[in-house]
Amino acid sequence: MSRKASDNVEYTLKSLSNLMGEKKRRKQQEEGTGERSLITAADSCPSINSQGTGDLERAARRQFQQDVTPGFVYVVSVFSALGGFLFGYDTGVVSGAMLLLKKEMNLSALWQELLVSSTVGAAALSALAGGGLNGALGRRPCILLASFMFTIGAAILAAAGNKETLLGGRVVVGLGIGIASMTVPVYIAEAAPPHLRGRLVTINTLFITGGQFFAAVVDGAFSYLPRDGWRYMLGLSAVPAVLQFLGFLFLPESPRWLIQKGQTQRARRVLTQIRGNQTIDEEYDSIKNSIDEEEKEGGTGGPIIYRMIIYPPTRRALLVGCGLQMFQQLAGINTVMYYSATILQMSGVDDDRLAIWLAAVTAFTNFIFTLLGVWLVEKLGRRKLTLGSLTGTTVALLVLALGFLLSAQVSPPVTNTPRDPLGQNSTCTQYSYCNKCMLDPNCGFCYKKNGSSIIDTSCIPVNSETTDKSAWGRCVNETVSKADGSIWAYNYCPTSYSWTALLGLIFYLVFFAPGMGPMPWTVNSEIYPLWARSTGNACSSGVNWIFNVLVSLTFLHTAEYLTYYGAFFLYAGFAFVGLIFIYGCLPETKGKKLEEIESLFENRLCTCGASDSDEGRYIEYIRVKGSNYHLSDNDASDVE
Ligand SMILES: O[C@H]1[C@H](O)[C@@H](O)[C@H](O)[C@@H](O)[C@H]1O
């Protein structure tokens, strides 16, 4: 038998012994009967005799996975990730709701902007405040508080009778989003076993993008309702919020927070509950020791943020965490998602409804490729995944920019400048090309198609209530424009190069979603020592939301000054700087225990290179089981 094969059999038999449970094995060790009982176990297992080692190995692997990952930790993660779903749903649903609201409530542009950005602004504030709450009250009360706010916010929004109430509801929802966005990743990371932590925390981002996709579908479906569709859109989020609230009444507090607060008995109970049939002594001791150590290192004087800044490892971790979140937003994800309908329209989709549904396809792409991230995070590790993702994202942004540039260069000229029958002195009549006309928020482009050529073109003021039609002329409403064969383009220009932008959009999502979307959240949940974890996550989540508002609010102005392609070139530039930053500063945290990660930030300003531990989880398993088995490299990398 080759060495490799004999190692495999040795491993299989030894893993099988673990099937018998910790207590029994220890007893056998004490009595010196371990070897014999291994054979007894093999004898009593029919598969070893009838089908060789195959079934045995499979059984051992199954047991290994069950031992390492009791189902309860998945329940905990999924209920927590409902917070991510609500984050995604509430930030995503508003664009569709706004289309209906602005007509029914007669909202000005300022009010529309207020209703969208108030939520993100409130999220920034509550994410920052969430650090103190998390540290003082614990993770569980914060998640309960967030789901309570989501529920109340949804109820206010669904019942709102005027725009002021709507604003109130959006602020309450935003406060919930902020707290959930910083608490949920921390809670999952603290409950998860090291070898699965990345995957479980990334599930939260999967739920965020899932929420965004679901919101896009709900937007599409309720847009057909003649009245009050927005009430359903905004109110529906109460369902997952109530579910999460009820679930968390029964779910435990984070064991690490409990140990930190000296609630040792409760902590032991929770650890036993989430680790299933494994012994928890070693994990408990290692958390306890590291808390004692941390208390010495972190000192006790002054606010935590001050202590984090003066202590080099936490200062570096904070820099990496906030930098990742900043570059996630500077790479323009939310503008790309928000303007996906425009990009699609540029690519020739001139039906509004179809554009809404295609925007749902965009959100679905974001969701599906985040799923790829869930799978890749424990295979490639955080560092490789983030670097690969951001490289692709940068290239995609360049393709997008190029698409807009080509479209602008072949932008159709204005051939007709009709006189304004309303006698208003509009700026629209001054533009001689579509690309200028489209960038003015007050104007749109009215044109006809003759085969592939664009003819009979005018730049006309947009209707003051809806951007779907012009204020007057051939595109004043659907009936008139259909009879005339004219098409109304608001915010885009018809060109034959628009496929480049579409290609850029697809590329962008395929690359961004598995890495740059989830990794900033995942990495932040694990790089701070316990005493600094709440504050570190509060700061980095705050940075995420602040840059989210900044990028979304400035996009239209940036596009006005720099044009669309200029804006996307700018994002590509940011993404490139982000790439250098991540290359130099992001260490690999895959497979490490939370308590070990601080050491990665100890010596260098920035930590290059990955410290992969593919076999780490496996060897750790054997170690926790108290065995001294030798594992060949082959065994270790073989196990899934
Ligand atoms: O990680 C998420 C995700 O990528 C979302 O799609 C995006 O809207 C959020 O801003 C981001 O934080």
Side-chain angles (χ1 to χ4, degrees), residues 533-547:
R533 194 167 296 144
S534 310
T535 308
N537 274 278
C539 290
S540 59
S541 310
V543 166
N544 179 289
W545 289 111
I546 290 168
F547 277 88

Side-chain angles (χ1 to χ4, degrees), residues 313-380:
T314 46
R315 185 173 61 234
R316 288 171 202 141
L318 191 62
L319 187 81
V320 171
C322 293
L324 272 173
Q325 292 286 25
M326 179 179 82
F327 284 115
Q328 181 197 63
Q329 293 301 318
L330 285 180
I333 172 68
N334 290 305
T335 348
V336 171
M337 293 272 287
Y338 199 74
Y339 288 92
S340 59
T342 308
I343 296 171
L344 292 162
Q345 278 178 326
M346 273 188 56
S347 315
V349 179
D350 39 31
D351 176 330
D352 269 3
R353 277 254 152 75
L354 187 59
I356 293 184
W357 283 111
L358 286 177
V361 175
T362 316
F364 183 68
T365 315
N366 193 18
F367 169 69
I368 281 295
F369 282 89
T370 312
L371 190 61
L372 180 67
V374 172
W375 182 66
L376 285 178
V377 63
E378 297 298 354
K379 303 225 168 256
L380 292 182

